[in-house]
Amino acid sequence: MRTMELTKHERRATLDTMRRATMILLAGGTAACVNVTAPDKPIVINLNINVTQEVVYRLDSDAKSLIKQNPGIF
């Protein structure tokens, strides 16, 4: 039994045809199901954003002792 293989060009042409057919079917099916209407009321987007930031710092023992010795440094 001899198997028939497609050339690289024939495979590409076949795949391109299949992709086009699929896209046409999907576009036709989607177009039939979509109903677009404008809303009656305006669209409201609430942009009340609360941003909090927590700063965490660590001082080594030398810096802590320096600050204790000179409380007015800052």
Side-chain angles (χ1 to χ4, degrees):
M1 178 187 249
R2 184 172 180 217
T3 60
M4 189 173 180
E5 291 189 26
L6 298 175
T7 65
K8 185 177 181 180
H9 178 69
E10 291 171 331
R11 275 191 304 248
R12 177 136 181 121
T14 303
L15 286 174
D16 287 344
T17 303
M18 290 172 63
R19 284 186 188 122
R20 284 188 195 118
T22 303
M23 294 303 285
I24 289 169
L25 288 173
L26 287 175
T30 304
C33 297
V34 175
N35 184 9
V36 179
T37 58
D40 295 337
K41 298 177 183 177
I43 297 172
V44 177
I45 300 173
N46 187 358
L47 295 177
N48 292 331
I49 300 171
N50 185 10
V51 178
T52 59
Q53 181 178 8
E54 183 178 330
V55 179
V56 178
Y57 63 92
R58 294 189 181 135
L59 298 173
D60 63 1
S61 61
D62 293 338
K64 282 183 183 180
S65 64
L66 181 64
I67 291 172
K68 284 183 183 179
Q69 291 173 1
N70 301 310
I73 197 169
F74 290 106

